[in-house]
Amino acid sequence: MLARLARMAAVAGLAFAFAAPSAYAATFVYATSSNPTLARYAIGDGGLLNPFVPLTAPGVATSTGIAASPNGRTLYVVDQPTNDVSQYAIADDGTLTPKSPATVATGTTPFGIAVAPDGRHVYVANQDDDSISIFAVAADGALTPGATAVSAGSGPVQIALTPDGTSAYVTNAAGGTISQYDVNPADGSLTSKSDPVAAPGVPFAIAVSRDGRSVYVTSRQSPGFVREYAVGAGGELTPMAADTVPAGTRPAGILATATGVYVTNFADDTLTRYTAGADGALTAKADVSTPHNPFGMALAPDGHSLYVAGFGAGRLGQYDIAADGSLTAKAPADVAADTRPLAIAAVQPLEQQAPSVDLRTPADGAQFEQGAEVAADYSCADDGGSGLASCTGDVAEGAPLDTSTPGSFSFTVVARDGAGNETVVTHGYNVVAKASEITFEGFVGPIQNGSVVRAGSVVPIAFSLGGFHGLDVLADGSPGSVKVDCRHPGNPTGGRPARSEDGLQFDEETGTYTFAWQTHSSWTGTCRAFLVTLRDGSVQRLVVSFRSTCWYWRPWRHHS
């Protein structure tokens, strides 16, 4: 019987915790088959499955397991005959594209698959070499080739993790046991907690309750049953007082949801629903009919619909889930699938479009006078479907910016949507001292009053205002220059604007302003006053003499 199981199917019984449906673009269902294909469906109104056209895409033959990444962007499919896992990128419209590499090797006869709750590691049970393959997951969801492996019991078939990702459990069908492991969150490695727990019969599918306090295992027998375990403080399993509850004939899949536990009974075409008590103990409720030979199950991300793979019928059953967990067949009760559907997964790709930020005030590079009243002005929007979750700036929208101190500052706005996408926009701005508070501290550097320079050269005029006060510290038309008498320059005003390729600059290292004054060769033999007029109207003058000789400076000497 085990040899046949190893070639047939496994349960896709893991229920993933998804965010609110608004965080996703659409919802899809994928089902494997005995052909090398994947059947594809979109979930429409009322949870009804709408087949893609065409229904199938190239896939994997005799796949025994299927699982999706928590963000719904990657699909992993176990390929038992070729001992590997195929991996696909899931687009917004549900189409599948093989990742690179398209497959990664597992152990011998891979069976069940499970994804860590944080999506960083994937685990595959290998039935014929009694091992568990452990894959690291890259940022794009791709599995890292060359998986590590740990030993399991005899004939491992399924693996499940606790919701917090700290413990993992493996059903060993041939050995009649359950292996239990501690999970290292850093590297995903598994370490045995203790000896395997006894699970008489043929332990097959496994599920962990949503609260992580109970574990349920089907025994693939006729008649079948579900074995119940309590999860201790260290994650170790202990059989419950009433350690089994009856199931149908040859139970296959098991799924634990927020409203109950569901088991597919392969040989009698039924699905059994159970409710869980405060201690996790199960109580069987009424069965519902399913397509022939039900196997894998998938829960819609909104929790309101359940889908069942009818292996023998070549169809997928679809059910509404009531608030008490009871099931009612939809209309129609099932839809066509490819030949012998085995494992099934419901996926809702996480929205990838980031929200937008419009940061109007402060504008990037804006300059404000010290003490000015400036209100932050920004807004955020999200067109991706998940809705805007937050829009926060360094101060609230409409609140005043801090302009109390001169200097360079930045203002950041962060927008997040319901899917967790984030956009960050930062603008830099300057606060400058009031004009009345700017003090001219003198010309600095090599060019001083009375220096002799070469006509036609670029003359660097440097001066200090006691720090940075912005680049608009000068009055309109300043700096300027005017021809003066070399012996008696006086206190000229006006003149023509001085020319410069770069304009006024500020050197943060020296704390000085510099103006690279472009002089004219026709000024040879003359003197000119370089005029710096500040915003407050005060004028500072520096007189230089122009010669046609090589560049040099010397102090100006007045003659009587």
Side-chain angles (χ1 to χ4, degrees):
M1 179 175 65
L2 289 177
R4 183 170 180 232
L5 286 176
R7 301 305 187 269
M8 280 182 54
V11 163
L14 289 176
F16 294 93
F18 291 93
S22 62
Y24 303 81
T27 313
F28 308 100
V29 167
Y30 303 96
T32 65
S33 77
S34 59
N35 292 324
T37 60
L38 286 168
R40 304 166 299 166
Y41 310 82
I43 298 181
D45 293 341
L48 290 171
L49 296 180
N50 298 318
F52 275 43
V53 179
L55 171 64
T56 61
V60 172
T62 317
S63 173
T64 55
I66 187 170
S69 60
N71 67 2
R73 285 292 172 181
T74 305
L75 189 70
Y76 308 107
V77 183
V78 174
D79 188 353
Q80 192 176 86
T82 54
N83 299 323
D84 57 36
V85 172
S86 293
Q87 48 186 354
Y88 304 87
I90 303 173
D92 287 343
D93 62 0
T95 56
L96 302 175
T97 303
K99 288 184 176 289
S100 180
T103 62
V104 289
T106 64
T108 306
T109 316
F111 209 82
I113 185 170
V115 181
D118 63 6
R120 296 171 57 192
H121 298 91
V122 168
Y123 303 88
V124 176
N126 305 302
Q127 188 178 14
D128 284 356
D129 64 10
D130 302 337
S131 70
I132 304 297
S133 296
I134 306 171
F135 297 91
V137 180
D140 66 351
L143 304 184
T144 302
T148 58
V150 296
S151 297
S154 179
V157 288
Q158 284 291 336
I159 181 169
L161 284 81
T162 52
D164 63 5
T166 60
S167 295
Y169 308 102
V170 175
T171 53
N172 303 304
T177 62
I178 301 171
S179 297
Q180 44 189 350
Y181 305 88
D182 289 316
V183 181
N184 185 326
D187 59 10
S189 60
L190 303 179
T191 304
S192 294
K193 292 179 183 291
S194 58
D195 292 336
V197 177
V202 184
F204 190 63
I206 184 169
V208 181
S209 64
R210 289 296 183 92
D211 62 10
R213 297 168 59 187
S214 305
V215 168
Y216 308 107
V217 176
T218 63
S219 184
R220 195 167 166 76
Q221 296 176 221
S222 179
F225 56 86
V226 177
R227 192 168 294 277
E228 308 171 291
Y229 299 86
V231 179
E236 294 192 0
L237 302 182
T238 303
M240 293 185 185
D243 61 347
T244 63
V245 291
T249 306
R250 294 183 64 205
I254 188 167
L255 180 66
T257 74
T259 56
V261 173
Y262 303 91
V263 172
T264 54
N265 302 302
F266 183 81
D268 61 16
D269 301 340
T270 62
L271 186 153
T272 303
R273 177 177 71 93
Y274 303 85
T275 58
D279 60 354
L282 300 181
T283 300
K285 299 296 182 179
D287 292 350
V288 296
S289 298
T290 65
H292 186 43
N293 298 144
F295 231 98
M297 288 177 287
L299 179 70
D302 65 6
H304 298 313
S305 299
L306 182 70
Y307 308 101
V308 178
F311 177 81
R315 304 187 70 82
L316 301 186
Q318 46 186 359
Y319 304 86
D320 289 318
I321 303 177
D324 64 355
S326 58
L327 302 178
T328 303
K330 295 180 185 288
D334 52 48
V335 294
D338 202 8
T339 305
R340 294 185 174 183
L342 302 171
I344 181 172
V347 178
Q348 210 167 27
L350 192 67
E351 179 214 327
Q352 292 182 311
Q353 181 176 335
S356 61
V357 173
D358 183 9
L359 177 49
R360 297 174 289 273
T361 303
D364 197 25
Q367 184 167 288
F368 308 110
E369 190 172 78
Q370 182 179 0
E373 295 183 0
V374 182
D377 182 14
Y378 58 89
S379 60
C380 309
D382 181 67
D383 298 323
S386 65
L388 189 66
S390 63
C391 179
T392 57
D394 289 341
V395 299
E397 204 282 328
L401 301 181
D402 182 4
T403 61
S404 60
T405 305
S408 298
F409 302 91
S410 63
F411 189 91
T412 298
V413 177
V414 180
R416 294 185 179 88
D417 63 19
N421 298 306
E422 180 179 280
T423 299
V424 180
V425 173
T426 299
H427 284 179
Y429 67 97
N430 299 308
V431 176
V432 299
K434 293 181 180 179
S436 60
E437 297 176 357
I438 298 175
T439 301
F440 187 84
E441 296 186 352
F443 292 99
V444 296
I447 306 299
Q448 294 292 320
N449 197 46
S451 293
V452 179
V453 300
R454 181 166 57 87
S457 64
V458 175
V459 179
I461 306 294
F463 58 91
S464 172
L465 300 179
F468 181 62
H469 299 283
L471 295 178
D472 63 345
V473 292
L474 304 181
D476 291 342
S478 179
S481 74
V482 62
K483 183 178 179 181
V484 297
D485 183 281
C486 293
R487 291 179 176 273
H488 305 286
N491 295 310
T493 58
R496 302 180 62 180
R499 292 175 51 235
S500 174
E501 291 292 331
D502 300 322
L504 186 66
Q505 301 291 315
F506 182 78
D507 188 330
E508 292 185 356
E509 291 187 6
T510 62
T512 60
Y513 288 87
T514 301
F515 187 87
W517 181 22
Q518 177 61 65
T519 65
H520 197 277
S521 59
S522 64
W523 296 349
T524 299
T526 68
C527 294
R528 297 187 77 85
F530 184 86
L531 309 177
V532 176
T533 305
L534 300 180
R535 291 202 309 263
D536 62 4
S538 61
V539 181
Q540 310 298 327
R541 303 170 182 84
L542 184 150
V543 178
V544 296
S545 176
F546 291 93
R547 298 288 184 265
S548 60
T549 57
C550 294
W551 180 285
Y552 69 96
W553 300 279
R554 62 180 175 78
W556 180 265
R557 293 178 181 171
H558 293 280
H559 298 276
S560 58

